[in-house]
Amino acid sequence: MHPLIFSVTVSSVTGECALEPDPTASFAPAAWQQLAASVASEKGLTPFSAAVLYRRWQQGLAAVAVDNGSIIGHISCMPIFHQPTRSRAARALHGGQPMGASVWPMIDMFELLTGWTHPDWRKRSISLQLRQQLLAQVRSESLPRQRFFVSVTVGRGGSPVLARLGWHTIAWDAIPYVGSLIAQNADGKSRPGWHVINHAPYNGSDVAALMDTTHNWDRHCFLWVSQPALAHQLNDRLQAAVGRDLESWRRAWREAALPTLIQAGYLPVLFG
């Protein structure tokens, strides 16, 4: 996959923004420092270092919109449950022995991360277009496995954009094995993670983000998925593979697989 960079054109008639691929566009290295600082300043976004944000972009796991040498829009993603982490978790659960492919779920899960748009450019579909471009690139890889995406929003956040992409919310309790891949309860131990405070995991029915104006967004942290059926399938396969032992699964993931993600700059959600 290749880095995705777009210039922004604004219609003189409608004022709408369109993104055009622009591999020749440039920006100063300091733009990544500014982006990291801007993301960290918004409490509803997971903070990442400039080096991590830049590396994801170089790997083709991020898309940026640029105007006059500055990054004015950004979205990134990361593989969470894929071959390296799947193998580590499986070996941890079975005494270092690999599990057979017929038992272990061959489904890849990516998390969509760090959607940010400069305040002067918001509500102009830039975030939506960046997501569409990044998702299209990741999905275009020729792989024999099925693949779906998840995203976490605190409060309303980017929920309207995800709803426009056709995604849905799923109760955290409905897919606990999948939820454990990206979130865990804070237990007082010193662990790297994105601490979500005063926002309980949302365990209600699917939320129509663009239409439900009465919903109390401020109290919850939402789990969004691109393909609910595939998310449920992965959850069921994981549950069967570990003999319905959720705590053993969580421990194996936390101790064997999660450190590789954290080393790459990932931060899981820590509730409480």
Side-chain angles (χ1 to χ4, degrees), residues 11-233:
S11 171
S12 59
V13 178
T14 65
E16 294 181 353
C17 293
L19 301 185
E20 298 291 338
D22 190 357
T24 64
S26 61
F27 45 84
W32 291 102
Q33 297 288 347
Q34 182 58 52
L35 173 62
S38 297
V39 170
S41 70
E42 301 198 27
K43 64 179 182 179
L45 299 180
T46 315
F48 293 106
S49 71
V52 167
L53 295 174
Y54 174 73
R55 183 168 64 247
R56 285 188 193 148
W57 179 67
Q58 282 286 308
Q59 294 171 340
L61 295 173
V64 297
V66 177
D67 181 66
N68 290 326
S70 298
I71 297 174
I72 56 95
H74 172 274
I75 185 67
S76 68
C77 71
M78 188 169 181
I80 303 299
F81 188 75
H82 62 145
Q83 187 56 43
T85 55
R86 178 169 39 238
S87 297
R88 286 178 177 270
R91 289 178 180 275
L93 283 162
H94 293 270
Q97 299 300 314
M99 292 183 67
S102 61
V103 177
W104 199 245
M106 301 300 287
I107 300 172
D108 287 349
M109 186 184 91
F110 280 65
E111 184 174 354
L112 201 57
L113 304 162
T114 322
W116 177 85
T117 306
H118 189 284
D120 293 345
W121 292 88
R122 292 178 183 176
K123 297 184 179 181
R124 303 171 80 174
S125 296
I126 290 176
S127 181
L128 175 65
Q129 293 180 68
L130 285 175
R131 281 172 164 83
Q132 290 171 327
Q133 294 288 345
L134 179 60
L135 292 173
Q137 169 155 288
V138 176
R139 285 172 172 149
S140 68
E141 282 192 300
S142 178
L143 292 172
R145 294 183 295 277
Q146 294 175 292
R147 172 177 289 178
F148 72 100
F149 298 83
V150 301
S151 188
V152 176
T153 60
V154 175
R156 186 173 177 86
S159 295
V161 178
L162 296 172
R164 291 182 66 184
L165 287 171
W167 291 30
H168 298 272
T169 59
I170 294 183
W172 289 89
D173 283 351
I175 49 173
Y177 292 84
V178 168
S180 298
L181 298 170
I182 58 175
Q184 54 190 282
N185 291 324
D187 55 8
K189 296 180 180 179
S190 179
R191 290 178 181 163
W194 177 35
H195 290 262
V196 175
I197 302 172
N198 298 325
H199 288 78
Y202 180 71
N203 286 311
S205 57
D206 186 17
V207 175
L210 297 181
M211 297 175 286
D212 188 351
T213 59
T214 64
H215 188 76
N216 190 339
W217 293 91
D218 292 338
R219 295 182 179 180
H220 293 108
C221 180
F222 298 86
L223 174 58
W224 288 83
V225 297
S226 63
Q227 295 170 273
L230 201 52
H232 279 288
Q233 182 180 338

Side-chain angles (χ1 to χ4, degrees), residues 246-270:
L246 181 57
E247 290 308 313
S248 289
W249 164 245
R250 286 173 170 167
R251 183 170 56 253
W253 179 261
R254 183 174 62 247
E255 296 177 358
L258 186 58
T260 66
L261 298 176
I262 291 174
Q263 187 175 17
Y266 180 71
L267 291 174
V269 172
L270 296 178

